[in-house]
Amino acid sequence: MAAGGGGSGDPLAPAGVPCAFSPHSQAYFALASTDGHLRVWETANNRLHQEYVPSAHLSGTCTCLAWAPARLQAKESPQRKKRKSEAVGTSNQTDLLALGTAVGSILLYSTVKGELHSKLISGGHDNRVNCIQWHQDSGCLYSCSDDKHIVEWNVQACKVKCKWKGDNSSVSSLCISPDGKMLLSAGRTIKLWVLETKEVYRHFTGHATPVSSLMFTTIRPPNESQPFDGITGLYFLSGAVHDRLLNVWQVRSENKEKSAVMSFTVTDEPVYIDLTLSENKEEPVKLAVVCRDGQVHLFEHILNGYCKKPLTSNCTIQIATPGKGKKSTPKPIPILAAGFCSDKMSLLLVYGSWFQPTIERVALNSREPHMCLVRDISNCWAPKVETAITKVRTPVMNSEAKVLVPGIPGHHAAIKPAPPQTEQVESKRKSGGNEVSIEERLGAMDIDTPKKGKDDLQTNSFPVLLTQGLESNDFEMLNKVLQTRNVNLIKKTVLRMPLHTVIPLLQELTKRLQGHPNSAVLMVQWLKCVLTVHASYLSTLPDLVPQLGTLYQLMESRVKTFQKLSHLHGKLILLITQVTASEKTKGAPSPGQKAKLVYEEESSEEESDDEIADKDSEVSDLFPVCTSACISSYSVRMRPS
């Protein structure tokens, strides 16, 4: 089984890298490493056979690979004797290695020619290819992708033969039935398709996470008394991402969704699975599961019906280094892949590094429940390639020689021819005159003296000063850079600063944020630019949380008081508005209005009774008029100001 690639950054991507043994006596082991290179190793002598670098190996990395089946070569060999023209096409097809990429294209690499045979692009996938399966009889190719579709390819014509939707989400794994008439596909649920009609034949429950591997485990059903239609009664195995259980399913005759009949338990997520097919009901299935923790678990079980408890491994294989000395302890060596040999009694183990793996054949001993192999791989890092290697000679250098190392960008000065003023300066030195000033020396070297002040720094010197200040912890140099208020200058400085200074700058900003509020206002501008520009770099750091824990706590504590300050700010604005309005109304003058009639009463003791009577009659006549006037005047005076 070719393991899926886990270098995409997706947490639900399968672990490991794409790799597979060749079907013909497992003579080769193909491996697509994380740097985009395809390497084919010889399993017999652990030698690098071929190396191929696709043109788009950085943008379209390899996500899966599959060898062309060996049955195709055996079936086409009689026809090759009759027609030599057809023999070329069929023989080339048997050594092909299909590579699925992250951009949706499929590359066909010929191991005989050592070059790219063809490329399958048009009408195919629009997203990452997750799995590739060759048809053992027709030579067609089946692929599934994150674009939810399954594609059937005509390899000779390099065209799409059929394309249909396989699931509502991404399709992550495929497997063709032993008779070649059915196709298993899986995302989170598992479907069994009829290849002729492209219709769903059965549904299975599946896993909680995307399925990373699908494999048929039996060729014949356990009950051989009933007629066999090619699929009913067969068992198949499925493994999923982040799942430590491998489920075994059986294709039943009832058209109902069925659960797994049994399961195998392992110590970690499976990254590579290989098994031996059971050809009859008495032959057990042998299973080798390579886990993410670098161990291999071997299972041997006869599939015959339902089993309630998960089955544990019969044998576990580990590899470790020899502990040199008393104080040194052995270190585990990860096992990358494992495949059964043709005799089914030995195992090919691939361990070490993906760039320089070690391949070894190990005999299986079923009596031992645990095997720990001690191997020293310290001397196995040099690749054994029989190619012309360019000889590189190291020059012999004098011990007193000084080597000039390229410095920080920004310190380069243009080389100009020396002016005639140099001769005058040297003549002064020889004649023993007065000491030459620094300005004259700079003039002799034709270096312009800075005419600007210390605070007027150029834009291209800010990243250099910032880097030097962070490395030397120079407070004054950091102040010159961090006290700037020019937003454009801050952005340009953050864009040009080296990546290794991002974390020290954030730590320096954290210290300054805890200081005076005026400096905190400036530091926020720098913090905003750093987090915006270098967000992708910060997300790749594994120990980011402990390094920026203080900054996070500082920001969280200040954000908590922001809501209370906002409420207080709103109340203060409301009070200030009301006070201002009341002061304006107090200072405004009252509207001037005069009474229409004013009555003044004068008393005199000397007046006679007749005069008093006449006045009383006059008063009685004027009383209604005066009363109305007084009421109106009183109402005017009592108006609120």
Side-chain angles (χ1 to χ4, degrees):
M1 185 206 77
S8 62
D10 185 5
L12 293 180
V17 299
C19 56
F21 289 98
S22 62
H24 185 64
S25 68
Q26 295 181 325
Y28 300 105
F29 178 73
L31 169 67
S33 55
T34 54
D35 58 355
H37 292 218
L38 172 68
R39 296 180 176 91
V40 181
W41 302 85
E42 296 179 9
T43 58
N45 49 20
N46 198 28
R47 183 190 303 149
L48 181 60
H49 179 63
Q50 288 179 3
E51 183 174 4
Y52 171 68
V53 183
S55 58
H57 66 284
L58 296 178
S59 59
T61 57
C62 180
T63 56
C64 57
L65 58 84
W67 290 87
R71 295 182 185 179
L72 195 62
Q73 183 178 6
K75 290 193 175 185
E76 295 290 346
S77 57
Q79 189 178 3
R80 194 169 8 184
K81 295 180 181 179
K82 296 180 181 179
R83 297 183 182 180
K84 293 183 179 180
S85 60
E86 293 183 4
V88 176
T90 54
S91 63
N92 287 344
Q93 192 169 350
T94 54
D95 70 282
L96 293 181
L97 185 61
L99 308 173
T101 63
V103 295
S105 60
I106 297 176
L107 309 178
L108 299 180
Y109 176 76
S110 173
T111 55
V112 173
K113 296 180 179 180
E115 60 183 15
L116 188 66
H117 179 269
S118 57
K119 196 172 184 180
L120 308 179
I121 301 177
S122 59
H125 298 291
D126 301 329
N127 210 328
R128 166 195 173 103
V129 180
N130 293 322
C131 184
I132 296 175
Q133 284 289 320
W134 288 86
H135 197 283
Q136 58 265 32
D137 298 325
S138 64
C140 293
L141 193 69
Y142 293 89
S143 61
C144 62
S145 170
D146 283 346
D147 61 4
K148 309 176 186 179
H149 287 83
I150 303 173
V151 177
E152 180 182 6
W153 297 89
N154 186 344
V155 178
Q156 293 183 356
C158 297
K159 293 181 179 179
V160 174
K161 193 175 180 181
C162 184
K163 181 178 180 180
W164 72 95
K165 187 175 181 180
D167 207 331
N168 293 327
S169 59
S170 62
V171 185
S172 56
S173 187
L174 295 175
C175 183
I176 299 176
S177 63
D179 63 349
K181 297 180 180 180
M182 297 285 183
L183 176 69
L184 279 172
S185 71
R188 284 182 170 85
T189 61
I190 302 174
K191 297 179 182 179
L192 183 62
W193 301 83
V194 181
L195 285 179
E196 185 177 357
T197 60
K198 307 300 186 292
E199 295 179 354
V200 178
Y201 182 71
R202 293 285 184 273
H203 281 88
F204 300 92
T205 307
H207 296 257
T209 53
V211 176
S212 58
S213 58
L214 282 174
M215 306 179 77
F216 274 94
T217 59
T218 55
I219 298 177
R220 302 287 301 178
N223 189 5
E224 297 181 354
S225 60
Q226 297 179 357
F228 179 51
D229 59 356
I231 193 65
T232 304
L234 295 185
Y235 291 91
F236 66 90
L237 180 78
S238 67
V241 178
H242 304 321
D243 196 345
R244 294 189 297 124
L245 289 178
L246 298 172
N247 292 337
V248 179
W249 315 79
Q250 187 178 21
V251 182
R252 303 290 182 88
S253 58
E254 299 87 2
N255 191 9
K256 294 181 181 179
E257 187 176 352
K258 294 295 181 181
S259 301
V261 295
M262 66 179 65
S263 57
F264 299 101
T265 178
V266 291
T267 56
D268 205 344
E269 176 187 351
V271 297
Y272 194 94
I273 302 175
D274 191 33
L275 55 82
T276 61
L277 290 172
S278 174
E279 299 181 0
N280 53 62
K281 64 178 182 179
E282 297 179 355
E283 183 180 2
V285 174
K286 292 184 179 181
L287 184 66
V289 183
V290 181
C291 295
R292 199 172 191 173
D293 56 5
Q295 301 183 43
V296 177
H297 298 276
L298 301 178
F299 299 87
E300 187 173 348
H301 185 73
I302 298 176
L303 303 179
N304 189 10
Y306 182 77
C307 185
K308 187 176 182 181
K309 294 183 179 180
L311 302 176
T312 58
S313 60
N314 300 338
C315 179
T316 303
I317 302 177
Q318 288 180 307
I319 301 178
T321 59
K324 296 182 180 180
K326 297 181 179 179
K327 296 183 179 180
S328 62
T329 57
K331 296 182 180 180
I333 301 174
I335 300 176
L336 311 177
F340 286 100
C341 298
S342 56
D343 58 357
K344 299 183 182 180
M345 296 304 296
S346 56
L347 198 66
L348 277 175
L349 295 180
V350 182
Y351 57 90
S353 170
W354 290 114
F355 300 99
Q356 178 61 41
T358 303
I359 305 174
E360 182 181 350
R361 183 169 179 170
V362 178
L364 299 178
N365 189 357
S366 59
R367 296 179 182 179
E368 297 181 7
H370 187 82
M371 295 174 59
C372 184
L373 306 177
V374 180
R375 299 290 184 269
D376 187 7
I377 61 172
S378 58
N379 298 326
C380 299
W381 296 112
K384 301 175 182 178
V385 189
E386 294 182 354
T387 55
I389 301 176
T390 305
K391 295 182 179 181
V392 180
R393 295 183 179 179
T394 305
V396 180
M397 298 177 60
N398 189 4
S399 59
E400 298 179 357
K402 295 182 180 180
V403 180
L404 300 179
V405 182
I408 303 173
H411 290 274
H412 303 290
I415 300 175
K416 299 181 181 180
Q421 188 179 359
T422 309
E423 299 177 356
Q424 300 176 2
V425 175
E426 291 185 356
S427 62
K428 286 184 179 180
R429 290 181 182 176
K430 292 180 180 178
S431 61
N434 297 330
E435 184 69 22
V436 183
S437 64
I438 296 177
E439 185 176 359
E440 292 179 353
R441 292 181 183 179
L442 293 176
M445 293 190 303
D446 198 20
I447 298 179
D448 297 333
T449 55
K451 298 179 181 180
K452 296 183 179 180
K454 294 183 179 180
D455 297 332
D456 300 331
L457 298 174
Q458 296 181 359
T459 305
N460 54 5
S461 65
F462 263 69
V464 179
L465 288 176
L466 181 60
T467 304
Q468 293 178 349
L470 291 173
E471 292 178 353
S472 61
N473 200 13
D474 192 338
F475 185 76
E476 295 182 358
M477 191 178 297
L478 289 174
N479 275 343
K480 289 180 181 179
V481 180
L482 297 179
Q483 294 298 327
T484 180
R485 297 178 180 271
N486 191 345
V487 180
N488 293 328
L489 184 58
I490 293 174
K491 290 181 179 179
K492 292 179 180 179
T493 305
V494 173
L495 282 170
R496 296 176 183 178
M497 63 183 294
L499 287 179
H500 68 273
T501 59
V502 174
I503 293 296
L505 176 59
L506 289 176
Q507 293 174 352
E508 180 66 26
L509 294 176
T510 304
K511 294 179 184 178
R512 293 172 179 259
L513 281 173
Q514 298 174 355
H516 198 273
N518 292 335
S519 65
V521 174
L522 298 176
M523 297 308 109
V524 167
Q525 296 290 338
W526 283 92
L527 185 63
K528 179 181 177 182
C529 289
V530 173
L531 296 178
T532 304
V533 174
H534 298 288
S536 57
Y537 167 71
L538 293 173
S539 62
T540 60
L541 299 178
D543 54 347
L544 182 65
V545 176
Q547 288 185 350
L548 301 184
T550 306
L551 177 61
Y552 177 75
Q553 293 176 0
L554 179 64
M555 294 172 64
E556 188 178 12
S557 62
R558 297 201 176 188
V559 168
K560 284 183 179 178
T561 59
F562 179 73
Q563 187 175 6
K564 297 179 181 179
L565 290 174
S566 299
H567 288 305
L568 180 61
H569 183 255
K571 291 180 181 179
L572 289 175
I573 290 178
L574 183 61
L575 288 174
I576 292 172
T577 305
Q578 291 180 352
V579 170
T580 305
S582 62
E583 289 179 353
K584 287 182 179 180
T585 54
K586 285 182 180 180
S590 59
Q593 292 186 1
K594 296 182 179 180
K596 294 182 180 180
L597 180 64
V598 179
Y599 173 71
E600 295 180 357
E601 184 179 1
E602 295 180 359
S603 60
S604 178
E605 296 179 354
E606 298 178 352
E607 290 180 348
S608 61
D609 295 337
D610 296 335
E611 291 177 354
I612 293 173
D614 295 335
K615 289 181 180 180
D616 289 337
S617 63
E618 292 176 359
V619 168
S620 62
D621 294 336
L622 293 173
F623 183 76
V625 179
C626 293
T627 303
S628 62
C630 289
I631 291 173
S632 62
S633 176
Y634 179 78
S635 62
V636 169
R637 291 178 181 177
M638 290 300 293
R639 251 179 222 173
S641 60

